[in-house]
Amino acid sequence: MLTKVKIPLPELTSSILALDDTALDPDQLENLIKYCPTKEEIELLKGYKGDKENLGKCEQFFLELMKVPRVESKLRVFLFKMQFDSQQVRNSVKLKRIMQTILSLGNVLNQGTARGSAVGFRLDSLLKLTDTRARSNKMTLMHFLCKTKINLDRKLLRNIFLAEQAYYLLEVVSTGKKVLEQKLPELLDFPKELVTLEAATKVQMKCLVEETQAFSKGLEKVVQELSASENDGPVSETFCKIVREFLSFAEGEVKSLTLLQSYVVKNADALAHYFGEDPARCPFEQVMSTLLSFSRMFVKAHEENCKQLELEMKKAKEAEKGKLKK
């Protein structure tokens, strides 16, 4: 462990008492906390009057740490202070319009059935768009979503997607009928409006609440250690000064963080309601995961459409060259 602490032992004490984050990093602090001398080890060494050089490196390390009153508590304050300083889905207009398109497609394809006049759909339906295939098996509804326009003729849409052959789709493209790529190209990059989506999928509401509570408890321990350190005398003067400055800032931040956490939890539920879901059945984590998967599937389908179009254009050019040679 000592090899991970780069500063000389004589400077270790002053660095801890000065809360010097240029001398120690969080990993080193965690190791120092882990290997702090126990009460028994302190009792064995506190009366030592001999030459320190005669002791092993571990004992010398313990003696150095013992110069700091309540060293483990101060190290935890140090770590807490160091770690202290470590876009919204509902604002995405493009995502809203994409979902309106999906609803329109679903209603057209289900026309004449009990599901043909839906006013909405379940969020997990987004992940089933790649399961619905044309009879040619070459195109999924996700691929078609990336091509279609909002007000595409209903009869033509059903023919395109349900016909035995896929030539209807080629006809739409080749005759220049307006598709989403042409009429609403700005919707194709809707994932760019959700740049924090992947990070949001890593947020666990329960963990967020627990971490906020941990900040509050950590701050309480900082206050307790400051109170105790004020009786240490000159050895802890610098420590106390820095901790007071830290508390003047941190207490306000933790208060804001607590309010923000309450706001986040409230809005996490509101997000589920926004998509017509019950937060109890479709919690925040599931909403985020579903949207991220849909976003990735959409991007992949669009890229495949582009490659397919390039291939078709290449074949058309080759065919045209063949005609000219004849």
Side-chain angles (χ1 to χ4, degrees):
M1 188 280 298
L2 293 176
T3 59
K4 297 180 180 179
V5 180
K6 304 301 181 182
I7 62 174
L9 281 180
E11 297 177 21
L12 183 60
T13 301
S14 58
S15 296
I16 294 172
L17 288 169
L19 302 173
D20 185 358
D21 56 14
T22 64
L24 294 163
D25 60 33
D27 289 339
Q28 291 172 333
L29 287 175
E30 287 178 353
N31 277 311
L32 287 173
I33 291 170
K34 184 177 179 180
Y35 292 103
C36 270
T38 63
K39 290 182 179 179
E40 292 76 12
E41 289 166 334
I42 291 174
E43 285 298 319
L44 288 172
L45 289 170
K46 72 178 183 179
Y48 182 76
K49 303 295 183 182
D51 189 348
K52 293 180 182 178
E53 296 300 320
N54 294 330
L55 296 173
K57 290 185 178 181
C58 185
E59 287 75 16
Q60 291 180 39
F61 165 71
F62 283 166
L63 281 175
E64 193 64 32
L65 288 184
M66 285 165 58
K67 294 178 182 178
V68 181
R70 295 171 310 285
V71 62
E72 183 177 347
S73 178
K74 282 185 170 60
L75 284 170
R76 292 189 183 279
V77 169
F78 193 174
L79 181 62
F80 179 80
K81 176 180 180 295
M82 191 178 293
Q83 293 178 331
F84 190 81
D85 299 320
S86 307
Q87 309 251 357
Q88 294 286 331
V89 169
R90 283 188 289 169
N91 290 340
S92 175
V93 175
K94 293 180 181 180
L95 176 61
K96 185 182 296 185
R97 293 176 71 185
I98 288 287
M99 298 187 92
Q100 288 171 344
T101 305
I102 294 170
L103 180 61
S104 297
L105 291 177
N107 281 336
V108 171
L109 292 173
N110 291 310
Q111 187 178 14
T113 72
R115 299 165 61 188
S117 302
V119 295
F121 56 87
R122 299 297 299 270
L123 195 60
D124 60 4
S125 298
L126 293 174
L127 306 184
K128 299 175 182 177
L129 296 178
T130 54
D131 297 336
T132 306
R133 292 182 173 273
R135 293 179 185 175
S136 63
N137 207 37
K138 293 181 179 180
M139 178 178 59
T140 68
L141 189 54
M142 182 68 81
H143 289 101
F144 188 75
L145 170 65
C146 296
K147 287 183 174 291
T148 188
K149 69 172 185 174
I150 303 296
N151 297 316
L152 196 64
D153 179 76
R154 289 174 176 264
K155 183 178 179 181
L156 180 60
L157 170 57
R158 289 180 64 81
N159 285 339
I160 288 172
F161 202 75
L162 299 178
E164 190 64 36
Q165 292 83 18
Y167 70 86
Y168 289 100
L169 175 61
L170 298 178
E171 181 185 352
V172 172
V173 176
S174 62
T175 56
K177 289 184 181 294
K178 293 180 179 179
V179 293
L180 189 144
E181 291 175 358
Q182 298 168 0
K183 187 170 182 177
L184 296 169
E186 70 276 11
L187 295 189
L188 293 173
D189 67 348
F190 86 91
K192 292 182 179 179
E193 286 191 342
L194 309 175
V195 292
T196 60
L197 191 57
E198 185 168 0
T201 61
K202 297 179 174 64
V203 176
Q204 301 290 318
M205 284 296 115
K206 181 180 179 181
C207 293
L208 182 64
V209 173
E210 291 175 348
E211 287 173 4
T212 304
Q213 292 173 343
F215 268 113
S216 298
K217 291 178 181 177
L219 204 60
E220 289 175 6
K221 291 180 179 178
V222 172
V223 173
Q224 291 171 2
E225 178 54 35
L226 174 62
S227 179
S229 296
E230 288 173 340
N231 299 318
D232 291 345
V235 68
S236 292
E237 282 183 359
T238 302
F239 176 85
C240 290
K241 178 177 179 296
I242 295 173
V243 170
R244 287 193 200 98
E245 292 173 352
F246 169 66
L247 281 174
S248 66
F249 158 76
E251 286 177 329
E253 290 295 303
V254 169
K255 183 177 180 180
S256 297
L257 182 64
T258 302
L259 291 173
L260 181 60
Q261 176 250 300
S262 299
Y263 173 81
V264 168
V265 172
K266 178 181 178 181
N267 278 273
D269 289 346
L271 182 62
H273 287 304
Y274 174 75
F275 289 112
E277 299 286 352
D278 179 359
R281 298 180 61 183
C282 186
F284 174 80
E285 294 82 359
Q286 185 176 334
V287 173
M288 291 293 99
S289 176
T290 299
L291 290 176
L292 179 61
S293 296
F294 169 68
S295 176
R296 288 173 173 171
M297 290 159 58
F298 185 94
V299 170
K300 182 181 178 182
H302 177 51
E303 290 173 348
E304 290 172 349
N305 282 346
C306 292
K307 289 179 181 178
Q308 181 63 30
L309 185 57
E310 288 176 7
L311 181 61
E312 290 166 3
M313 291 174 66
K314 183 178 179 181
K315 288 181 178 179
K317 287 181 180 179
E318 291 175 350
E320 188 64 29
K321 286 180 180 179
K323 290 181 181 179
L324 293 174
K325 287 180 181 180
K326 291 179 181 180

